[in-house]
Amino acid sequence: MERRRLTWLLVLATVPAVVEAAILLGVGFQAARPLSPQVTAVWPYDSYHDLRWLLVYHDSWWTFLLGLLAVLGFRGLVTTGLTMLAWPADLPRPGWRWLLRRNLAVAALIAVVVSPWAALAVAFSVVALSWYLLAALLPMLLLAPFLQRAGVVAGWWRGLPSPALVGWPALNFVVLTLAGALIAGTPPWAEVPLAGLAGVANGLLWRQTIHAAVRPARIVWARVPVAPVMIVLVVFAAVAAQGVIGLAVGGDQQWRPPVLTQPLSDRVRHAVIVLAGHDSSWDGTPPVDPRVSRFSYLGLDEQGQPRPYGPHATHRTLGSSAALLAAQVDVVHRRTGRPVALVGQSEGAMVIRTYLEQRPQASPVDTALLFSPLIRPARAYYPLPGHSGWGVATGWELRLLFGASNLFREVDSNPDEPFVRSVMDNAPFYRNRTLCPVPGVRMIAFLPTVSAIETPPGQQARIPVYEQPAFHGGLLGRQTVQDRLVDFIAGDPVNEPQREYDLLQRVGAAWQAPPLLLSLNPVWAAEGEGDPARTGRICEDG
């Protein structure tokens, strides 16, 4: 009898993962392949899986509400079945009706708690910043030990979880990460068998967590409502995290890397324009080398000099920033008579790429260095307020989160600011061609290795790259990188990829939100671009 129950437990844990993997394989949805093992994971990874799919793939309030009811019902039924089959044979088990009611309630509770973090994962897929991805995973790890008893024990919310309830969910996280990495790095024919093996592992881990949850054990702080406190902290952290992420990404607003504070080598024959990133500011202090000038997000003054600017100026659209850059390029070239090299970080790199796409044939720019560019951004969508479309509920959840988080930020931000909208509205180009060659321009991308975590598996660049361990925006301030910058502008070949970059891409693959296919969104469908979400390749026509 026990062996038969274990067999059915493994079957129930395996079939949904295999079905999802087979569907993704059948429709050619390569970027979402690593998500399939999570469909039968332990709490809360299973709900995190469901909500990321739902928040990306709904196109109206009705489809969101119906989808939410469907995923809650599915989750309640599946976890009830897994719980019944995993229950220890030597202990009395509650009736199936009680377990079903309890698991439906837990599914609803976890959806409320996890939903803000799933929304942040969608926001991450829009701006392609690993800070959001990493910030969304930590709460899953913290919540997991407190939720394993919720579906099986009446007083689950009191007391600290046992070591076993900490260890088994943590092991499930490792299994899901490894399974996603293997699926991302193997041929498509191996996807379904690997998802099946991950489902088997999920079933065994359900068995262990249920045993640990229901067997009598000494509970530390047995009368303290620890779980509600943790849940409140996690929900509050979803708001506060926006402020922390903003500080981490923005860094020192008075941005002064070596290219601005040191003289350039005599080998450099270019005039250099340097573009800072999002939420940066500039007080007008000129660079040390007269061949270098700062780009201003407020444009030029009457004398043709870049204006000092504050953080809000960086929130403008990429197209308008590119127009300002074009005007500054012309002024610098006329004044110096030199060819122009562009150096941009983060948003600045995206402004450069937008300018290169729109530049006139007679442009004096022949060199571009992109530091921490957004790699395959705009993988999700949400419409403006008052409009319907893909991700409509997600947009409002993000507006609530960002609105509350502005209490913790020095500079207000919102998910509809012009910069973000310009990335989303032009998703086919930025998702497919950011790191593609431009005729007549020498280009290189300086990529911190953490950006690999934010990039779906597959091709990320078809230009030379310089990859080094660093966080987003952390390369340009290093002296060794300054040396490579000078070498490249002076005409030397620079191309230093790191082997671990591809590995890190696969490691992060399981925890990204599924991309919205370009062909589904009417805002994007007419652009004629290839979709890396299907092919894993960039720089292709549709």
Side-chain angles (χ1 to χ4, degrees):
M1 182 65 178
E2 181 70 14
R3 182 176 299 177
R4 182 180 299 176
R5 288 176 58 193
L6 177 60
T7 300
W8 282 110
L9 171 66
L10 299 182
V11 169
L12 180 56
T14 301
V15 169
V18 167
V19 169
E20 180 171 322
I23 292 173
L24 293 175
L25 179 63
V27 300
F29 198 168
Q30 179 167 317
R33 291 166 55 201
L35 276 67
S36 56
Q38 299 167 36
V39 69
T40 54
V42 302
W43 305 109
Y45 309 122
D46 50 358
S47 293
Y48 189 53
H49 162 274
D50 301 343
L51 290 171
R52 282 176 291 159
W53 276 106
L54 177 62
L55 289 174
V56 172
Y57 279 91
H58 71 275
D59 61 357
S60 68
W61 282 103
W62 281 111
T63 55
F64 173 75
L65 292 174
L66 291 174
L68 180 61
L69 291 175
V71 298
L72 292 180
F74 171 79
R75 188 54 52 203
L77 287 170
V78 170
T79 55
T80 297
L82 291 169
T83 300
M84 293 177 66
L85 293 169
W87 202 276
D90 58 335
L91 292 179
R93 188 188 69 201
W96 69 267
R97 290 185 177 86
W98 186 91
L99 286 173
L100 178 60
R101 288 194 301 270
R102 173 55 63 95
N103 279 272
L104 287 171
V106 172
L109 171 65
I110 295 179
V112 171
V113 176
V114 170
S115 179
W117 297 101
L120 285 183
V122 175
F124 143 76
S125 70
V126 171
V127 295
L129 286 176
S130 54
W131 294 103
Y132 286 99
L133 180 64
L134 298 174
L137 287 182
L138 182 59
M140 301 303 108
L141 291 167
L142 294 176
L143 278 174
F146 294 91
L147 297 175
Q148 305 312 313
R149 300 170 67 235
V152 295
V153 178
W156 65 273
W157 47 275
R158 291 193 295 265
L160 291 174
S162 66
L165 291 178
V166 174
W168 293 122
L171 180 58
N172 202 182
F173 176 84
V174 174
V175 168
L176 296 172
T177 301
L178 292 177
L182 288 172
I183 289 174
T186 55
W189 60 262
E191 175 182 351
V192 173
L194 286 172
L197 290 175
V200 171
N202 289 340
L204 295 174
L205 288 166
W206 264 99
R207 186 173 186 271
Q208 296 303 120
T209 55
I210 294 296
H211 281 223
V214 301
R215 288 194 180 280
R218 180 178 177 273
I219 298 176
V220 179
W221 295 0
R223 296 187 179 184
V224 179
V226 180
V229 171
M230 177 59 67
I231 288 172
V232 170
L233 288 175
V234 165
V235 173
F236 174 78
V239 175
Q242 297 302 302
V244 175
I245 291 168
L247 292 173
V249 173
D252 183 6
Q253 291 184 350
Q254 292 298 332
W255 179 69
R256 293 182 61 80
V259 68
L260 299 176
T261 60
Q262 298 177 6
L264 294 179
S265 166
D266 292 338
R267 296 190 299 136
V268 174
R269 64 184 184 89
H270 287 72
V272 180
I273 300 176
V274 182
L275 295 81
H278 194 257
D279 278 350
S280 64
S281 64
W282 180 47
D283 60 5
T285 303
V288 169
D289 195 302
R291 289 170 291 178
V292 179
S293 56
R294 283 287 297 258
F295 169 74
S296 172
Y297 285 94
L298 288 180
L300 305 176
D301 61 18
E302 293 78 4
Q303 289 74 43
Q305 297 298 320
R307 301 175 186 271
Y309 66 87
H312 279 294
T314 67
H315 294 192
R316 64 190 310 137
T317 66
L318 285 171
S320 66
S321 295
L324 294 179
L325 177 59
Q328 187 168 345
V329 165
D330 290 342
V331 169
V332 168
H333 178 60
R334 285 198 304 268
R335 185 166 59 229
T336 65
R338 296 172 179 266
V340 177
L342 302 177
V343 177
Q345 176 164 284
S346 190
E347 181 181 352
M350 305 305 288
V351 174
I352 292 174
R353 188 60 184 89
T354 306
Y355 165 80
L356 293 178
E357 193 66 17
Q358 302 172 355
R359 83 193 199 286
Q361 281 189 328
S363 170
V365 173
D366 65 4
T367 303
L369 298 87
L370 311 180
F371 286 81
S372 298
L374 307 184
I375 303 178
R376 288 171 52 183
R379 299 194 299 272
Y381 185 81
Y382 47 85
L384 284 166
H387 295 76
S388 188
W390 292 99
V392 59
T394 309
W396 281 107
E397 185 165 10
L398 289 174
R399 290 177 194 112
L400 290 174
L401 282 173
F402 275 73
S405 73
N406 284 332
L407 299 173
F408 302 88
R409 297 174 63 99
E410 294 183 12
V411 180
D412 287 354
S413 185
N414 73 80
D416 295 309
E417 67 179 56
F419 164 63
V420 175
R421 298 280 355 160
S422 67
V423 174
M424 272 198 301
D425 291 343
N426 296 283
F429 171 74
Y430 292 116
R431 193 192 290 191
N432 189 35
R433 298 196 183 271
T434 296
L435 299 185
C436 296
V438 174
V441 181
R442 294 179 63 243
M443 297 175 65
I444 185 172
F446 286 77
L447 305 179
T449 50
V450 75
S451 66
I453 299 174
E454 69 207 27
T455 311
Q459 194 176 43
Q460 80 271 10
R462 288 184 59 184
I463 59 176
V465 296
Y466 178 94
E467 297 167 354
Q468 287 294 315
F471 289 107
H472 182 86
L475 286 176
L476 191 49
R478 299 181 179 181
Q479 187 59 50
T480 54
V481 175
Q482 170 73 4
D483 295 340
R484 299 290 81 74
L485 176 152
V486 170
D487 291 342
F488 189 80
I489 297 177
D492 295 344
V494 177
N495 189 32
E496 300 182 25
Q498 300 292 320
R499 284 182 294 181
E500 66 266 23
Y501 197 95
D502 290 340
L503 175 61
L504 289 173
Q505 270 188 286
R506 295 193 290 270
V507 167
W511 304 110
Q512 298 174 12
L516 179 62
L517 295 174
L518 292 178
S519 59
L520 292 180
N521 193 350
V523 177
W524 301 336
E527 296 294 331
E529 293 279 1
D531 191 350
R534 288 189 179 276
T535 65
R537 298 185 298 274
I538 61 172
C539 310
E540 294 188 336
D541 296 328

